Amino acid sequence: MARTTSNLTEAINLLEIIRRIPFHPKKITSSDLFQALEAKKIKMSLRTLQRALDALQKSELGIECDKSSKPYGYSRLPQVQELDSFKLDDETSLLLRLAQEHLKYQMPARMIGSLDYLFSQSKEEDKEPRSHQWLKKVAVVSGVIPQVAPDIKPRIFNAVTEGLLHEKQLQIEYVNSKRQRSNMTVLPLGLVQQESRLYLVCMPVDDMTKVESKALHRMQSVKVTDLSFIPPADFSLKKYLSSGSFNYDYPGRGQPIRLSFLFSNDITAVNLQETPFNKTQKIRKLTNGKNKGKYRLTVDIEDTFLLDAWIKTWTEMAGIENVKKKPLTKEAEIVSASIR
């Protein structure tokens, strides 16, 4: 009975391996395949996987190995498609395509890797006229000047997300914006995408009193250590971001203020009412005095570089005037935070 159970487990593992091997001409290495299986809690040693791949290559199941360069890459030939026991419907296929496009930096590398076979299948099955055309009918438009994303090496992203997911210390070789090279050991606490850039929020092991952000594209090497850690109880990524840490440095940054200004453009009033800064925002049309017919906006908000840039842009576009910034009292801060 034990041997029968073992045979069944081996058969299931072989099917899991085959399902994760992409169709030709795409390829997957044994190490990447091992990580994909491990991410799905499929227990198998790398050596066992390599033996299974060798057996599959020699079988009639249409698995081929490209040995033209190392590491070797494995792919499936069309005749092995009949082993797939499921077919993605149009909705699932489209959802997977969108997820792959927009969430690739929001999920751990191993989880993304474990879904490669589904991403590949979604592209194969996304050839029905309507679902295939949908991706040409939707777009995401940035509110800032677009920039080419910096080069982030897969091995860097994989190691960073591995340490972040399993709460392991990372050893990083880093080159800062001044081209100064340094080595550091950090506790990975969060991953933040700001437009085209990706940052690791971390705490240096040699100074546990501060939290820093390091750009992934400036990392030269990252090693995941065997040293586990418990994230600081008082750390919250949400609070770290709300402190203005990604709004650039300048005096007074991140300080809560009460912002007010006048403007006269009716379309701007509609836009700001539809997409307010936050729940404290109020817009009132003045009915008397020298500013009759104009709008006054007030809002409790953090004073940041991005806010100044917005004000400058809309001063020119919508005639914003009489801009005032008033520091909030502690009582006002508490009220403002409670209704956001």
Side-chain angles (χ1 to χ4, degrees):
M1 182 65 181
R3 183 55 188 166
T4 301
T5 302
S6 177
N7 288 341
L8 178 59
T9 300
E10 290 174 8
I12 292 174
N13 286 345
L14 282 175
L15 287 174
E16 292 290 353
I17 292 171
I18 293 172
R19 289 173 63 187
R20 285 166 174 77
I21 297 176
F23 290 110
H24 184 81
K26 288 192 172 183
K27 298 176 292 185
I28 188 170
T29 65
S30 59
S31 58
D32 286 342
L33 186 52
F34 177 73
Q35 289 186 354
L37 292 169
E38 193 176 53
K40 296 299 292 183
K41 307 299 183 185
I42 299 172
K43 297 188 179 300
M44 180 186 306
S45 69
L46 180 59
R47 182 59 189 145
T48 299
L49 172 60
Q50 289 171 338
R51 284 198 299 266
L53 288 170
D54 186 55
L56 287 171
Q57 182 191 351
K58 295 175 181 177
S59 71
E60 301 277 331
L61 295 176
I63 305 297
E64 69 172 9
C65 178
D66 180 3
K67 297 183 178 180
S68 59
S69 62
K70 291 187 176 181
Y72 298 159
Y74 296 86
S75 59
R76 285 198 278 175
L77 298 177
Q79 62 262 34
V80 81
Q81 292 188 32
E82 62 190 30
L83 292 176
D84 291 324
S85 59
F86 67 96
K87 178 177 174 65
L88 300 176
D89 56 33
D90 288 348
E91 291 80 4
T92 304
S93 177
L94 180 59
L95 180 61
L96 283 167
R97 292 289 302 280
L98 291 171
Q100 184 183 29
E101 180 69 22
H102 299 290
L103 300 180
K104 60 183 179 181
Y105 288 137
Q106 307 298 317
M107 295 176 66
R110 284 198 179 188
M111 291 185 181
I112 287 289
S114 70
L115 296 174
D116 273 348
Y117 76 102
L118 282 177
F119 290 144
S120 296
Q121 184 167 344
S122 71
K123 290 180 180 178
E124 290 296 320
E125 296 182 359
D126 191 22
K127 294 179 180 178
E128 295 296 325
R130 291 184 181 178
S131 60
H132 183 65
Q133 291 297 320
W134 177 259
L135 293 176
K136 298 179 181 179
K137 298 180 180 181
V138 294
V140 176
V141 178
S142 174
V144 299
I145 297 174
Q147 295 175 290
V148 176
D151 180 35
I152 299 175
K153 297 178 176 61
R155 59 180 171 81
I156 298 294
F157 179 73
N158 292 355
V160 167
T161 55
E162 180 76 5
L164 184 61
L165 178 64
H166 296 289
E167 296 177 346
K168 299 285 188 180
Q169 293 184 21
L170 298 176
Q171 292 178 349
I172 299 174
E173 182 182 356
Y174 193 76
V175 176
N176 64 19
S177 58
K178 297 179 180 179
R179 297 296 182 261
Q180 297 168 332
R181 188 177 296 267
S182 61
N183 293 286
M184 61 191 75
T185 300
V186 302
L187 311 182
L189 302 176
L191 196 62
V192 176
Q193 184 171 354
Q194 185 180 46
E195 297 300 335
S196 60
R197 294 171 178 249
L198 203 61
Y199 295 89
L200 172 67
V201 178
C202 58
M203 179 178 288
V205 170
D206 58 3
D207 187 355
M208 306 283 277
T209 63
K210 64 180 181 180
V211 177
E212 303 175 336
S213 58
K214 301 295 181 183
L216 266 68
H217 64 274
R218 292 179 184 150
M219 295 179 184
Q220 305 303 298
S221 68
V222 179
K223 179 184 177 182
V224 183
T225 72
D226 294 327
L227 299 175
S228 300
F229 69 93
I230 299 176
D234 59 349
F235 175 79
S236 163
L237 184 60
K238 184 177 181 180
K239 289 181 180 178
Y240 178 73
L241 295 176
S242 67
S243 70
S245 300
F246 282 85
N247 288 324
Y248 308 101
D249 288 321
Y250 76 101
R253 72 171 176 83
Q255 297 300 313
I257 60 169
R258 179 155 292 162
L259 172 69
S260 66
F261 55 79
L262 298 174
F263 64 94
S264 55
N265 190 294
D266 293 332
I267 296 177
T268 300
V270 172
N271 289 336
L272 289 172
Q273 286 168 339
E274 292 176 339
T275 54
F277 287 107
N278 58 49
K279 293 181 180 179
T280 68
Q281 176 181 296
K282 296 178 182 178
I283 295 179
R284 181 168 63 93
K285 191 168 187 177
L286 305 179
T287 57
N288 50 51
K290 64 178 183 179
N291 293 317
K292 180 179 180 180
K294 295 182 179 180
Y295 296 91
R296 181 185 300 280
L297 180 145
T298 60
V299 63
D300 295 346
I301 195 170
E302 290 177 353
D303 192 9
T304 66
F305 173 85
L306 295 178
L307 178 62
D308 287 343
W310 185 93
I311 291 172
K312 179 176 176 58
T313 299
W314 286 93
T315 296
E316 298 172 358
M317 293 178 59
I320 287 177
E321 58 181 296
N322 197 26
V323 177
K324 295 180 180 179
K325 295 180 178 180
K326 180 181 178 182
L328 283 178
T329 63
K330 289 295 181 182
E331 293 77 11
E333 288 181 41
I334 293 173
V335 172
S336 174
S338 68
I339 62 176
R340 284 179 188 170

